[in-house]
């Protein structure tokens, strides 16, 4: 009975993109829906706890029923807090079980990305551990679940994930570029990279801007000390904007700002996609030594708690990921619709090929009713292609094996 119910749910589509979201990213979800109210629908979720502290999660039943007939489903997830990762995985793992179409999980920050290598015996590369947990996500009715991550700390971490999921790397740099274009001194901006790694990674986004590259060098007065210096570029009179994927304590950014000031920069600003700031380290830029050093500090809302804490406090300005996520959802839906049309056409042609092979063989190893049942149980195009190959020549035994 459950199989027939699922088949009925697949019969039509309401053309909508449905958005589920974790509690901490509810404001972002609302902004996303408000940008496309005729295309995106929100599905409410109750995030509660049992008395023993374990998750008690419930998606809105009516919303999930509508989502099953939608064009695609996105889940806006946050794994910023280690205590929430199990809860988020519980919700993510359950999405395919609800037989939802074209599932995409938006994960703004891959939280263990900074621990991506082992430098001494006994250390644990937790980035790979979290990637394995995410890779355990079951496949949906449309195939593997897609995970969209913004500005992952190290690009090679995409290879930590297994082939059971699809990983899509995105960048939040476009929202910064849009903000820079609105500044009065936009013609005097120079993009500064705190190290060679940031330069290699982000320089392609800023080809129209003057570039400055910083790096650490040994202090001439103290060989054991390393200081940040300007290695390439001219900062004199420029509004220098330091770019990086994340910030922890902010020490490197401050050293970079000092080096730029010594090199003649008129003013210095910073941008990071992920403002981690453990132990409220952001306060050094609002009340501490960095208060008069940084003109503007842009962060996104990938870290909801931090974004809420710094919003409205100089020099911070929060740039929401909502426009980029909305664009990603709509673009993904258009691509999905095209892909579904192509897949349906391909499956129709493949089915015709199977029947032609069946008639040509005339061996009667499998009835037409059994063949239709077999086709209904196959979820992937690749499986159908295998059956087509198995029907040709003298491979009827393989068909019987496939049926069993």
């Amino acid at each position: 009975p459950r199989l027939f119910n699922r088949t009925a749910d697949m019969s039509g589509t309401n053309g909508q993109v449905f958005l589920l979201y974790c509690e901490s990213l509810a404001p972002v979800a609302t902004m996303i829906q408000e940008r496309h109210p005729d295309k995106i629908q929100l599905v409410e979720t109750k995030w509660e706890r049992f008395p023993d502290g374990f998750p008690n999660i419930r998606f809105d039943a009516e919303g999930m029923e509508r989502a099953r007939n939608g064009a695609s489903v996105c889940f806006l997830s946050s794994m910023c807090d280690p205590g929430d990762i199990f809860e988020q995985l519980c919700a993510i793992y359950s999405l395919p079980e609800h037989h939802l179409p074209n599932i995409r999980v938006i994960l703004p920050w891959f939280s263990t990305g900074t621990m991506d290598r082992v430098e001494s015996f006994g250390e644990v590369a937790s980035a790979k551990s979290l990637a394995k947990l995410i890779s355990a996500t079951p496949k949906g009715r449309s195939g593997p679940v897609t995970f969209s991550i913004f500005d992952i700390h190290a690009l090679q971490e995409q290879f930590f994930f297994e082939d059971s999921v699809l990983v899509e790397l995105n960048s939040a740099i476009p929202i910064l570029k849009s903000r820079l274009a609105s500044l009065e001194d936009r013609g005097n901006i120079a993009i500064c990279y705190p190290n060679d790694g940031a330069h290699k990674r982000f320089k392609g986004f800023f080809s129209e801007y003057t570039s400055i590259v910083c790096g650490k060098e040994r202090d001439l007065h103290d060989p054991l000390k390393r200081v940040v210096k300007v290695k390439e570029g001219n900062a004199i009179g420029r509004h220098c904007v330091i770019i990086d994927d994340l910030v922890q304590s902010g020490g490197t950014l401050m050293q970079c700002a000092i080096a730029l000031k010594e090199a003649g920069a008129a003013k210095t600003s910073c941008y990071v996609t992920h403002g981690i700031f453990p132990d409220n380290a952001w306060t050094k830029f609002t009340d501490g030594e960095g208060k008069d050093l940084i003109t503007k500090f842009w962060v996104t809302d990938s870290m909801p708690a931090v974004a809420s804490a710094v919003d409205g406090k100089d020099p911070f300005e929060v740039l929401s990921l909502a426009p980029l996520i909305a664009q990603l959802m709509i673009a993904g839906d258009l691509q999905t619709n095209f892909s579904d049309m192509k897949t349906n056409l391909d499956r129709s042609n493949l089915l015709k090929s199977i029947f032609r092979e069946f008639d040509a063989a005339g061996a009667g190893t499998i009835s037409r009713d059994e063949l239709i049942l077999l086709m209904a149980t196959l979820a992937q195009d690749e499986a159908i292609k295998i059956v087509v190959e198995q029907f040709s020549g003298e491979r009827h035994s393989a068909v019987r094996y496939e049926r069993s």
Side-chain angles (χ1 to χ4, degrees), residues 27-88:
V28 179
T30 300
M31 286 188 284
I32 293 172
Q33 195 275 334
E34 289 175 348
R35 297 184 70 87
H36 299 279
D38 59 333
K39 188 67 176 176
I40 298 176
Q41 292 189 28
L42 299 181
V43 179
E44 294 185 1
T45 305
K46 291 185 178 180
W47 301 91
E48 299 175 347
R49 299 273 177 171
F50 289 109
D52 58 5
F54 280 90
N56 181 13
I57 306 167
R58 185 172 182 81
F59 300 119
D60 177 68
E62 293 184 4
M64 294 297 277
E65 285 293 340
R66 292 195 301 271
R68 291 172 71 173
N69 286 320
S72 60
V73 173
C74 289
F75 176 62
L76 189 56
S77 175
S78 176
M79 299 186 183
C80 301
D81 188 334
D84 292 338
I85 291 179
F86 176 68
E87 176 185 70
Q88 294 295 291

Side-chain angles (χ1 to χ4, degrees), residues 14-34:
N14 54 36
Q16 298 289 300
V17 180
F18 289 83
L19 178 60
L20 298 90
Y21 51 92
C22 66
E23 192 171 18
S24 62
L25 288 174
V28 179
T30 300
M31 286 188 284
I32 293 172
Q33 195 275 334
E34 289 175 348

Side-chain angles (χ1 to χ4, degrees), residues 217-227:
E217 300 177 355
R218 294 192 182 278
D219 192 334
L220 297 177
H221 305 290
D222 186 357
L224 299 179
K225 184 179 179 181
R226 294 171 64 85
V227 294

Side-chain angles (χ1 to χ4, degrees), residues 54 152 188 211 316 372 404:
F54 280 90
I152 197 167
N188 191 44
S211 294
F316 287 98
I372 292 172
S404 66

Side-chain angles (χ1 to χ4, degrees), residues 337-388:
N337 289 339
F338 176 78
S339 176
D340 285 348
M341 291 172 59
K342 182 177 183 300
T343 297
N344 289 336
L345 179 61
D346 289 344
R347 291 190 176 188
S348 176
N349 291 334
L350 286 167
L351 185 56
K352 291 177 182 178
S353 299
I354 290 177
F355 279 123
R356 282 197 298 269
E357 293 290 344
F358 178 85
D359 291 334
T365 56
I366 183 172
S367 69
R368 285 184 181 274
D369 290 340
E370 289 175 322
L371 176 62
I372 292 172
L373 180 60
L374 173 62
M375 293 297 299
T377 61
L378 296 175
Q380 303 298 322
D381 289 339
E382 189 62 31
I384 300 177
K385 292 176 183 176
I386 292 173
V387 175
V388 173

